[in-house]
Amino acid sequence: MLLPEGVHIDGVSGAVTPETGRYRKPLSELAGIFHDKAAYQAALQAGDPLVYEVVEYRKDGGDLFFGTTIMHPGAIGGEYFMTRGHFHADRTMGEVYYTQSGQGVLLLESRDGRSEVVEMKPGICAFIPPDWAHRSINTGRDKLVFVWICNPRAGHDYGAILSKGMRKLVVADGAKPYAVVDSPAFAGETAERARS
Ligand code: S6P
Ligand code: ZN
């Protein structure tokens, strides 16, 4: 029988107590997700910074699990540090992201190519509907820490986003904290659609 439990989440460090697992994503494990390949190589040679960490609380047989994602500040060629981004393998399952500290953007893309942005800041609880790809981006100078909650059977489908990227990039933009711009990787496809 599964037993109830209170889990402490530190909203600044992202520590989960007790935790049942974690992983780290240094820049070297994020090949292909940043648009500027030369800037990516230069940043790797300068020291392979840690981009994000994920800490989880999971119980065998549970229909929910949760944890934190801790995103470090930084940018590659003007594009802010981001997660890989994924659809869920189970297309019927969505997710919730509750931001605890820092500033960021949740970039979402529907299966048919609609883009949406939800601001991430303390107090915002983002609803991620089923079958929307989601990527988190730290646009601030501090860590971005958020709690995620979903069904452990949702799974991850990284393929589509890894091969084509997302339609929008989130970049540094002078006076403004960030700008959401069209990704050049999709320029050909957009032009083709306009011609047909
Ligand atoms: C899982 C949930 C998060 C992300 C994490 C890293 O469904 O959305 O735990 O896995 O934020 O993102 P990604 O795209 O590298 O898995
Ligand atoms: Zn997810």
Side-chain angles (χ1 to χ4, degrees), residues 23 52 54 69 83-86 88 95 97 134 146 148 150 156 158:
Y23 66 85
Y52 61 95
V54 177
T69 299
T83 58
R84 289 165 288 183
H86 58 271
H88 289 159
E95 189 162 5
Y97 278 11
H134 40 288
F146 62 92
W148 47 266
C150 73
H156 296 97
Y158 290 105

Side-chain angles (χ1 to χ4, degrees), residues 23 25 30 33 52-56 65-71 82-88 94-97 128 134-136 146-151 154-156 158 161:
Y23 66 85
K25 282 285 163 198
L30 298 171
I33 73 167
Y52 61 95
E53 300 161 81
V54 177
V55 187
E56 69 172 39
F65 79 136
F66 57 87
T68 55
T69 299
I70 304 147
M71 300 195 65
M82 63 178 115
T83 58
R84 289 165 288 183
H86 58 271
F87 285 97
H88 289 159
E95 189 162 5
V96 167
Y97 278 11
I128 303 171
H134 40 288
R135 162 176 282 166
S136 332
F146 62 92
V147 175
W148 47 266
I149 305 163
C150 73
N151 187 312
H156 296 97
Y158 290 105
I161 302 299

Side-chain angles (χ1 to χ4, degrees), residues 92-169:
T92 69
M93 291 183 180
E95 189 162 5
V96 167
Y97 278 11
Y98 181 57
T99 301
Q100 298 279 84
S101 58
Q103 299 284 330
V105 166
L106 176 59
L107 178 63
L108 301 118
E109 198 171 295
S110 67
R111 192 69 69 168
D112 59 2
R114 175 176 174 150
S115 296
E116 293 286 335
V117 160
V118 175
E119 200 179 346
M120 299 179 82
K121 62 182 181 183
I124 298 290
C125 190
F127 166 58
I128 303 171
D131 221 21
W132 281 75
H134 40 288
R135 162 176 282 166
S136 332
I137 299 146
N138 185 351
T139 60
R141 293 185 180 168
D142 303 316
K143 279 197 255 189
L144 171 66
V145 175
F146 62 92
V147 175
W148 47 266
I149 305 163
C150 73
N151 187 312
R153 290 184 292 278
H156 296 97
D157 171 7
Y158 290 105
I161 302 299
L162 258 185
S163 62
K164 292 183 94 177
M166 294 183 80
R167 285 169 169 74
K168 302 285 182 185
L169 308 182

Side-chain angles (χ1 to χ4, degrees), residues 3 10-11 17 32 34 37 72 83 93 129 147 157 173 178 187 189 191:
L3 296 177
D10 185 312
T17 311
F34 292 97
K37 307 301 172 207
H72 295 265
T83 58
M93 291 183 180
V147 175
D157 171 7
D173 184 31
Y178 63 86
E189 191 179 291

